[in-house]
């Protein structure tokens, strides 16, 4: 049996190699990469992360044979910035892509958000370009959301693009007609999640002999929440059978409210269809004899959509984590992450990791020299995959200086080990939490620990200056 440790060592990235900066070897057989990115998937949306209502049997199986990260983060609480980080290995702040594209900065609020970019600059060397230059076939299917024509996946290192364009949600919903460029309509009743998987499987069946990057970016479970009809009845029955509870469906979150219960059948059916299709791709890898040389990475671009203004109904809940998509509380930025390298081994890591880390990780696994000037903010996770407990990193940062439809107001965050500080610019308030003791961020310790507030604020402000963070400004017309 091929174990993960044996596989990594045969690639020249065992424990010793992983400890040497920039260490890499040329390999006769570079690993393939299957990178699966789900939109708006919360960390509590998977059975293997604790959900008791949603069902994700294929992902549970993947987690049982790979490394399940319990403290993985998206680099932003909304999608475009995180996607840019995955592609470049840089913080969104450094790229000046700090909001979903093109954003929606209101002009009638206390602050005016900064003007950020609406496309991923072509001068950035993406992970797809780096792999392509080293002999990889590169395939993209699904949601891109990093710029309009001239900035599509095929302009950023992908040989094939099926459905990636400038819109962030399915223009006409999840059933044909899709109205998505580069994705002709299928038969009546076809579901978009199935179709993107069909395209990915076709690529696997028709690809050449070179190693590949298959980047499958599902549009699901982004709004519109549109049930997968073949699974809806299953979860309607399950929702009806849920025991009655006195727990509130929503609690207030500043100007918004946050869902506390997972019970929506339509959302559950979308998750089940996504999981079903992940299983289809993994089964195809096995059928084609590719599993033994394919690294699988599964994650999300931000937390689940749990928080909105009170006149809107959110589809999921992220408990025990606070808030959801759009917010810099844990529910908005903590995401599921499963990485499987070939071989049977189950492992769990509680080390904080983030979107920029995928770039150097994939390079190291592929035996390609690091590009530190490009993936400047990422850390290779290979040592963690080998069983190490910690990375050499002091802190993680988030800069989200925009208003968002989830009721978030401009702010920024730093996490340094157990401690997390949040600056809320609109409220003119700073909050401090100890995540080890209070993962739900219920107890603000700022008044009790001014020393820790000062320490973390200094770290955050120095990082913002170094990364070129653009700040919101006071609205003179407010």
């Amino acid at each position: 049996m091929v174990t993960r440790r044996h596989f990594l060592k045969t690639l020249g990235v065992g424990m010793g190699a992983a400890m040497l900066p920039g260490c890499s070897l040329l390999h006769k057989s570079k690993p393939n990469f299957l990178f699966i990115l789900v939109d708006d998937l919360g960390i509590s949306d998977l059975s293997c992360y604790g959900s008791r209502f949603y069902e994700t049997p294929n992902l549970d199986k993947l987690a049982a044979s790979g490394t399940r990260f319990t403290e993985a983060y998206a680099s932003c609480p909304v999608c475009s910035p995180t996607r840019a980080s995955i592609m470049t290995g840089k913080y969104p702040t450094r790229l000046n892509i700090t909001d979903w594209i093109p954003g929606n900065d209101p002009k009638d609020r206390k602050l005016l958000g900064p003007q950020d970019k609406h496309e991923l600059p072509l001068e950035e060397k993406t992970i797809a370009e780096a792999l392509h230059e080293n002999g990889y076939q590169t395939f993209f299917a699904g949601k891109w959301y990093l710029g309009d024509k001239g900035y599509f996946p095929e302009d950023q290192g992908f040989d094939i693009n099926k459905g990636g364009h400038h819109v962030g949600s399915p223009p006409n919903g999840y059933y044909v007609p899709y109205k998505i460029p580069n994705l002709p309509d299928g038969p009546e009743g076809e579901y978009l999640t199935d179709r993107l998987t069909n395209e990915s499987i076709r690529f696997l069946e028709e690809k050449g002999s070179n190693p590949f990057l298959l980047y499958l970016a599902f549009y699901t479970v982004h709004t519109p929440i549109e049930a997968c009809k073949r699974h809806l009845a299953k979860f309607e029955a399950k929702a009806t059978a849920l025991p009655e509870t006195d727990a509130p469906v929503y609690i207030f979150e500043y100007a918004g409210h946050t869902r506390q219960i997972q019970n929506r059948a339509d959302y559950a059916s979308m998750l089940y269809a996504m999981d079903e299709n992940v299983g289809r791709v993994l089964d195809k890898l096995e059928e084609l004899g590719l599993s033994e040389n394919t690294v699988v990475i599964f994650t999300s671009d931000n937390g689940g959509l749990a928080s909105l203004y009170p006149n809107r109904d959110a589809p999921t809940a992220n408990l025990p984590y606070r808030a959801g998509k759009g917010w810099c509380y844990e529910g908005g930025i903590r995401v599921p992450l499963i990485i499987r390298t070939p071989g049977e081994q189950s492992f769990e890591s509680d080390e904080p990791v983030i979107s920029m880390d995928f770039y150097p990780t994939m390079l190291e696994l592929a035996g390609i020299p690091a590009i530190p000037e490009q993936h400047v903010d990422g850390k290779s996770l290979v040592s963690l995959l080998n069983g190490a407990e910690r990375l050499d990193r002091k802190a993680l940062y988030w800069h989200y200086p925009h208003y968002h439809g989830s009721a978030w107001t401009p702010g920024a965050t730093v996490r340094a080990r157990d401690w997390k500080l949040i600056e809320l610019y609109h409220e003119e308030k700073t909050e401090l939490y100890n995540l080890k003791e209070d993962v739900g961020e219920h107890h603000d310790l700022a008044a009790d620990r001014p020393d820790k507030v000062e320490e973390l604020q200094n770290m955050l402000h120095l990082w913002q200056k170094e990364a070129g963070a653009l700040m919101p400004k006071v609205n003179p017309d407010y």
Side-chain angles (χ1 to χ4, degrees):
M1 179 181 294
V2 178
T3 66
R4 173 184 290 109
R5 188 178 302 276
H6 175 73
F7 173 79
L8 294 175
K9 284 185 176 179
T10 62
L11 292 182
V13 290
M15 291 296 287
M19 294 177 183
L20 298 175
C23 178
S24 61
L25 300 172
L26 294 177
H27 311 294
K28 293 181 179 179
S29 180
K30 288 182 167 62
N32 308 306
F33 293 101
L34 169 59
F35 194 104
I36 302 174
L37 182 64
V38 185
D39 198 358
D40 290 0
L41 180 70
I43 188 171
S44 301
D45 282 349
L46 305 185
S47 305
C48 55
Y49 280 91
S51 178
R52 296 182 179 179
F53 182 65
Y54 309 137
E55 298 179 20
T56 53
N58 291 293
L59 287 165
D60 299 346
K61 182 179 178 181
L62 180 68
S65 62
T67 302
R68 185 177 72 98
F69 291 82
T70 59
E71 300 195 31
Y73 289 96
S75 60
C76 187
V78 296
C79 51
S80 297
T82 299
R83 291 164 189 271
S85 281
I86 293 171
M87 282 290 114
T88 65
K90 292 180 179 177
Y91 272 112
T93 306
R94 198 179 301 280
L95 297 165
N96 192 25
I97 301 176
T98 51
D99 202 2
W100 58 274
I101 295 173
N104 184 30
D105 285 312
K107 306 303 179 185
D108 60 349
R109 306 294 296 275
K110 180 178 179 178
L111 301 174
L112 297 174
Q115 295 303 303
D116 63 338
K117 292 178 181 176
H118 292 172
E119 61 281 319
L120 179 63
L122 298 178
E123 56 265 28
E124 297 290 340
K125 177 180 280 192
T126 69
I127 182 60
E129 289 172 320
L131 292 175
H132 191 275
E133 289 176 0
N134 283 272
Y136 276 74
Q137 295 174 267
T138 51
F139 172 89
F140 183 92
K143 174 172 173 174
W144 178 244
Y145 213 26
L146 288 174
D148 209 330
K149 291 181 179 179
Y151 297 91
F152 283 175
E154 59 266 37
D155 304 304
Q156 301 277 17
F158 288 96
D159 296 316
I160 302 170
N161 170 27
K162 296 292 184 179
H165 65 136
H166 67 289
V167 176
S169 61
N172 201 45
Y174 283 88
Y175 289 93
V176 292
Y178 302 126
K179 299 185 179 180
I180 296 176
N182 300 321
L183 195 70
D185 289 333
E188 183 177 354
E190 183 183 67
Y191 197 59
L192 180 56
T193 307
D194 300 336
R195 173 59 179 280
L196 294 175
T197 304
N198 293 344
E199 296 290 350
S200 299
I201 288 174
R202 184 175 296 113
F203 166 74
L204 291 175
E205 292 173 334
E206 298 176 355
K207 71 172 189 64
S209 59
N210 284 10
F212 63 81
L213 165 64
L214 193 170
Y215 196 107
L216 175 53
F218 287 116
Y219 280 91
T220 201
V221 284
H222 195 285
T223 55
I225 304 303
E226 193 167 6
C228 180
K229 296 174 184 176
R230 66 178 177 272
H231 299 311
L232 182 58
K234 169 185 173 72
F235 290 100
E236 286 178 333
K238 191 171 184 178
T240 301
L242 287 173
E244 293 186 7
T245 176
D246 294 331
V249 177
Y250 283 95
I251 61 170
F252 284 101
E253 195 76 75
Y254 286 100
H257 68 176
T258 298
R259 176 175 275 275
Q260 303 295 292
I261 298 173
Q262 294 180 346
N263 64 359
R264 281 189 55 170
D266 50 0
Y267 187 82
S269 74
M270 296 177 77
L271 279 171
Y272 196 72
M274 178 273 295
D275 178 86
E276 178 183 48
N277 279 286
V278 169
R280 291 178 60 212
V281 179
L282 295 177
D283 287 347
K284 180 57 66 170
L285 288 176
E286 190 71 29
E287 176 190 326
L288 296 173
L290 296 170
S291 290
E292 283 302 309
N293 197 40
T294 299
V295 176
V296 180
I297 301 173
F298 175 93
T299 193
S300 174
D301 62 350
N302 49 247
L305 182 58
S307 302
L308 289 168
Y309 285 106
N311 62 339
R312 299 177 63 192
D313 184 31
T316 194
N318 296 317
L319 293 181
Y321 307 106
R322 182 175 177 181
K325 173 184 178 177
W327 294 70
C328 285
Y329 294 116
E330 293 292 286
I333 54 178
R334 197 179 287 216
V335 294
L337 171 60
I338 302 167
I339 300 179
R340 187 186 76 184
T341 55
E344 294 294 328
Q345 186 176 355
S346 181
F347 187 70
E348 186 175 286
S349 174
D350 63 358
E351 175 69 355
V353 299
I354 196 165
S355 308
M356 298 84 69
D357 297 338
F358 300 126
Y359 197 133
T361 300
M362 294 166 75
L363 291 185
E364 186 171 359
L365 288 171
I368 299 171
I371 316 171
E373 68 278 8
Q374 175 58 57
H375 49 78
V376 61
D377 297 312
K379 296 281 187 179
S380 173
L381 305 181
V382 168
S383 63
L384 300 180
L385 298 176
N386 262 320
E389 293 185 357
R390 296 288 176 257
L391 294 175
D392 180 19
R393 178 158 51 196
K394 292 183 179 179
L396 296 174
Y397 302 92
W398 294 265
H399 180 68
Y400 191 38
H402 307 275
Y403 291 93
H404 186 258
S406 62
W408 166 262
T409 58
T413 303
V414 55
R415 175 179 174 173
R417 287 298 161 195
D418 295 338
W419 291 97
K420 180 178 175 183
L421 178 136
I422 304 176
E423 290 189 336
L424 300 166
Y425 303 136
H426 178 100
E427 286 80 11
E428 301 181 32
K429 182 181 180 182
T430 299
E431 298 176 349
L432 178 71
Y433 299 98
N434 186 309
L435 295 180
K436 184 177 181 180
E437 299 175 356
D438 178 27
V439 74
E441 298 168 291
H442 300 300
H443 308 293
D444 179 7
L445 302 176
D448 300 326
R449 291 295 307 271
D451 59 322
K452 185 60 68 171
V453 169
E454 181 180 12
E455 175 190 343
L456 267 63
Q457 276 187 323
N458 288 339
M459 292 174 65
L460 176 60
H461 297 166
L462 284 172
W463 171 80
Q464 287 174 319
K465 182 178 180 180
E466 188 273 331
L470 299 182
M471 306 298 291
K473 298 179 179 179
V474 174
N475 184 357
D477 299 322
Y478 179 70

